[in-house]
Amino acid sequence: WVDAWAFGEAADRATAAGCAADLEADRGDEASALGLYKGSFLSGDLDAPWCAPMRERLRAKFIGLVSLQGRQLEALHRYAAAVSLYQRGLDADNLVEEFHQGLMRCYAKLDRNAEAHAVYVRLKQLLSLALGVQPSTSTQQLYRSLGDSRGASRRGGLD
């Protein structure tokens, strides 16, 4: 038994079922797959080029799984559960902009606008420091739309 293989197989099953399944369907495969993911594959061997493809495949599966389940939870209006899931995703990989977007949407739906704003500010700082880039256009548009929903008195100082 190898945890990386087990995670990959469970993630594939969960993703296949999630794409075809009703939103009310049981999420046992997602839960078990997410429970198996313990972070970057062979994180102690980051300089070993032979493990990079496997590391990226597993990372992509994790991101896809968190994103899929997060969108499903949002569709079911289970925003607090989605917040926990997106935070779990960020604990594993804090550069995934989609997780930040999900947090912003959920906090806004939970009427926790200050936290939605803080997520954007943290993301903007993180991307600037780590990669030297700005948030994507879609993230900036989401942030502006959250500002628009807070009323005209808050417009203007969003960036």
Side-chain angles (χ1 to χ4, degrees), residues 83-98:
V83 163
S84 294
L85 180 66
Y86 288 130
Q87 287 174 331
R88 157 91 165 86
L90 288 171
D91 287 345
D93 192 335
N94 66 353
L95 291 176
V96 180
E97 201 165 342
E98 189 172 343

Side-chain angles (χ1 to χ4, degrees), residues 37-129:
Y37 190 81
K38 302 299 182 197
S40 186
F41 177 69
L42 295 179
S43 59
D45 293 327
L46 293 178
D47 293 335
W50 62 268
C51 61
M54 178 69 145
R55 181 180 301 119
E56 286 307 309
R57 266 194 308 277
L58 294 174
R59 178 182 178 271
K61 287 179 186 208
F62 175 75
I63 291 169
L65 194 56
V66 170
S67 298
L68 173 66
Q69 189 174 9
R71 287 189 307 270
Q72 289 176 336
L73 289 169
E74 287 182 63
L76 293 168
H77 306 285
R78 295 181 55 200
Y79 302 114
V83 163
S84 294
L85 180 66
Y86 288 130
Q87 287 174 331
R88 157 91 165 86
L90 288 171
D91 287 345
D93 192 335
N94 66 353
L95 291 176
V96 180
E97 201 165 342
E98 189 172 343
F99 298 166
H100 292 274
Q101 291 173 349
L103 271 178
M104 290 166 58
R105 286 190 307 270
C106 291
Y107 282 142
K109 292 290 186 179
L110 292 168
D111 204 24
R112 293 164 58 181
N113 295 324
E115 289 168 277
H117 174 78
V119 169
Y120 179 79
V121 170
R122 277 193 310 271
L123 172 64
K124 189 172 180 179
Q125 291 171 342
L126 177 66
L127 291 176
S128 177
L129 292 172

Side-chain angles (χ1 to χ4, degrees), residues 140-158:
Q140 292 177 33
Q141 289 172 340
L142 172 61
Y143 181 67
R144 281 193 279 283
S145 74
L146 297 176
D148 290 343
S149 69
R150 289 183 285 183
S153 65
R154 301 289 294 188
R155 291 189 188 133
L158 296 177

Side-chain angles (χ1 to χ4, degrees), residues 10-11 13-14 17 26-34 65:
R13 283 192 310 274
D26 177 54
R27 288 188 217 346
D29 283 336
E30 287 96 333
S32 64
L34 290 174
L65 194 56

